[in-house]
Amino acid sequence: MSQGIWEDEYLLALVERTGAPACVADASDSGIALVTGLDTNGRRWQAWLNLDNAAALLVEEPEDVDDVSLWSATPEFVAAVGAKHAELDAELPTDAAGALAWASVAGVQKAAQQSRIKELLRARETFVEELFDALLDELGFPEATQASSQP
């Protein structure tokens, strides 16, 4: 794998190669991320981090818009983003349940609460990487350790 665009098939390849569940956050400019988890049974879950940014990114622009920068300053854009945000928010119970099921298959010992996972998925942070870390922590994954440079 190289730096650049994360391809969905990389996650499947990682799970197949390691024989363990895996999770990735595909972050964009530290402001938004799509988190995807896949377990060894092929069950997948996804959730957006920083929903406000995700809604603005995912909103469909009208066909008659010539200049997106002008449209993004209109009340119609604000309404469209609000509708998309509501749509994403409605998916959070399913997203949180998927994250918890994935963590259970991954063998973590902590009993995370679905309400806390939903709270994290609704949270806003300047750096989305901090939300991803908090999500993994809440799901019960141990903190990463630095490899020793000694033989």
Side-chain angles (χ1 to χ4, degrees):
M1 291 180 238
S2 62
Q3 185 176 6
I5 296 176
W6 177 264
E7 299 291 339
D8 194 48
E9 60 267 10
Y10 295 164
L11 186 58
L12 177 59
L14 181 61
V15 170
E16 288 176 345
R17 184 172 181 148
T18 63
C23 180
V24 64
D26 190 1
S28 175
D29 289 333
S30 291
I32 184 175
L34 177 61
V35 179
T36 305
L38 181 65
D39 70 23
T40 54
N41 298 317
R43 285 184 299 251
R44 170 184 305 272
W45 68 276
Q46 288 188 310
W48 288 97
L49 298 180
N50 273 347
L51 286 187
D52 293 341
N53 295 349
L57 176 72
L58 297 172
V59 72
E60 293 183 33
E61 62 190 61
E63 291 181 24
D64 62 343
V65 170
D66 293 326
D67 187 342
V68 176
S69 66
L70 294 176
W71 181 61
S72 65
T74 66
E76 292 82 9
F77 176 78
V78 172
V81 170
K84 180 56 79 173
H85 190 286
E87 181 184 316
L88 294 173
D89 191 74
E91 296 171 3
L92 288 182
T94 302
D95 298 342
L100 289 166
W102 172 83
S104 177
V105 171
V108 296
Q109 301 301 314
K110 183 177 179 182
Q113 299 297 313
Q114 186 169 349
S115 60
R116 177 65 181 132
I117 300 302
K118 287 192 307 188
E119 182 181 311
L120 281 169
L121 295 178
R122 282 190 178 106
R124 296 179 194 147
E125 288 289 340
T126 301
F127 300 106
V128 75
E129 295 86 353
E130 293 175 9
L131 279 177
F132 184 57
D133 288 346
L135 177 62
L136 293 178
D137 289 346
E138 190 63 33
L139 289 170
F141 286 86
E143 290 191 31
T145 58
Q146 297 293 326
S148 173
S149 60
Q150 297 179 10

